[in-house]
């Protein structure tokens, strides 16, 4: 028997007097309705699109690596080539070239020397040239010049056009301009400390009065002069004038003349 009401599901009486719920969609006891299978989804293989930016980045990285390796190889080659190449010194344009020492050219014996602006000619009394630079020095200066490659010295005893003044002037030929500049700086301590000086021509002039000494590096030469005055101490103004006329004018022009073209 089945019965039911709108608010109650239908029931069916069993043989033993029980009731079986016959609600829609509900199977009787002992029966099983299989659940519907979910729809099958077809999966596609994932294909990643090409990435041009990544390819470009990798290409640039490779080019940079190759460029760095090439630069490294060039630097190594250039360094080895520089070590093997002979050193070459080029004088800047417009700079006078140092000339080889010449006794007659620097201190002519006949007419003396005539620096521009001097009160008159300096008469050449004695001349001396030697490969032993220490012969023209006293104290520790000879050893200093030897350390910096001094190869020769040319000098002369001069009678100045100023009454009572005698001058010993000369030039030392050093290995290079850098060495001459260093000697110029080191001389001050030796001269002012009484540890060295320049010998006079004639040598007896050294014992008259304390001399005034001047020096200056020009090119690879060290130019110098020793000024004495028989009747007293040299006047500072006259000594300064003599130093300018002998070192900066005569010696510099004689030894550092421009080399003629052709």
């Amino acid at each position: 028997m089945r019965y039911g009401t709108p608010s109650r599901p239908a029931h069916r009486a069993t043989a033993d007097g029980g009731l079986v719920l016959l609600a829609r969609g509900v199977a009787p006891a002992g029966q099983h309705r299989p659940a519907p299978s979910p729809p099958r989804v077809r999966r596609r293989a994932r294909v990643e699109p090409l990435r041009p930016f990544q390819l470009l980045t990798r290409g640039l990285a490779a080019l940079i690596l190759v460029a760095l390796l090439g630069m490294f190889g060039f630097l190594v080659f250039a360094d080895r080539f520089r070590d093997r190449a002979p050193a070459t010194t080029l004088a800047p344009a417009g700079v006078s070239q140092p000339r080889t020492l010449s006794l007659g050219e620097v201190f002519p014996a006949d007419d003396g020397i005539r620096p521009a602006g001097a009160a008159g000619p300096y008469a050449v009394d004695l001349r001396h040239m030697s490969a032993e630079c220490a012969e023209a020095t006293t104290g520790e200066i000879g050893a200093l010049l030897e350390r910096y490659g001094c190869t020769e010295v040319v000098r002369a005893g001069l009678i100045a056009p100023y009454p009572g003044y005698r001058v010993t002037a000369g030039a030392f030929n050093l290995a290079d301009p850098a060495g001459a500049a260093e000697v110029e700086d080191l001389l001050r301590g030796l001269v002012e400390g009484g540890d060295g000086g320049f010998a006079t021509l004639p040598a007896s002039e050294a014992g008259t009065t304390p001399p005034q000494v001047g020096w200056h590096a020009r090119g690879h030469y060290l130019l110098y002069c020793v000024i004495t005055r028989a009747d007293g101490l040299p006047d500072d103004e006259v000594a300064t004038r003599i130093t300018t006329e002998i070192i900066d004018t005569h010696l510099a022009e004689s030894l550092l003349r421009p080399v003629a073209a052709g």
Side-chain angles (χ1 to χ4, degrees):
M1 175 182 290
R2 296 183 180 179
Y3 59 93
T5 65
S7 59
R8 298 181 60 185
H11 295 77
R12 178 173 57 87
T14 61
D16 54 0
L19 295 177
V20 176
L21 181 63
L22 297 179
R24 180 180 299 178
V26 180
Q31 298 183 8
H32 174 71
R33 179 181 296 179
S37 300
R40 297 182 62 183
V41 179
R42 297 182 61 185
R43 296 186 178 181
R44 296 181 180 180
R46 184 178 181 182
V47 178
E48 295 186 359
L50 295 178
R51 298 181 180 179
F53 180 75
Q54 291 183 349
L55 295 177
L56 179 61
T57 303
R58 294 176 182 177
L60 289 177
L63 289 177
I64 293 173
L65 179 60
V66 172
L68 290 176
L69 291 176
M71 183 180 297
F72 178 76
F74 173 78
L75 292 176
V76 172
F77 175 79
D79 186 66
R80 292 182 180 178
F81 179 78
R82 180 182 57 189
D83 292 340
R84 295 178 182 178
T88 303
T89 302
L90 299 178
V95 177
S96 300
Q97 298 295 319
R99 305 185 63 182
T100 304
L101 292 177
S102 171
L103 185 59
E105 188 174 7
V106 179
F107 297 112
D110 298 335
D111 298 331
I113 61 175
R114 298 174 180 269
Y122 286 75
V124 178
D125 189 19
L126 296 171
R127 299 187 303 166
H128 176 254
M129 184 173 183
S130 175
E132 298 294 333
C133 297
E135 292 182 8
T137 67
T138 62
E140 300 178 11
I141 294 181
L144 175 65
L145 294 171
E146 184 178 356
R147 288 201 305 270
Y148 283 87
C150 185
T151 57
E152 55 185 344
V153 58
V154 58
R155 58 183 179 142
L158 309 173
I159 300 175
Y162 310 102
Y165 284 88
R166 290 187 61 93
V167 182
T168 300
F172 296 95
N173 194 355
L174 301 178
D176 52 61
E182 291 187 22
V183 171
E184 178 182 10
D185 294 336
L186 295 173
L187 279 176
R188 181 173 301 278
L190 295 177
V191 173
E192 293 182 353
D195 297 321
F198 300 100
T200 60
L201 284 177
S204 59
E205 293 294 327
T208 54
T209 57
Q212 288 199 14
V213 182
W215 62 89
H216 186 42
R218 295 293 298 273
H220 62 76
Y221 298 118
L222 178 71
L223 314 178
Y224 76 97
C225 67
V226 182
I227 304 169
T228 59
R229 184 178 178 181
D231 57 352
L233 293 174
D235 180 80
D236 288 342
E237 183 177 352
V238 176
T240 300
R241 181 174 183 177
I242 291 175
T243 300
T244 301
E245 293 173 354
I246 295 299
I247 293 180
D248 297 332
T249 302
H250 174 69
L251 290 176
E253 292 180 355
S254 299
L255 297 172
L256 298 171
R257 294 173 181 166
V259 177

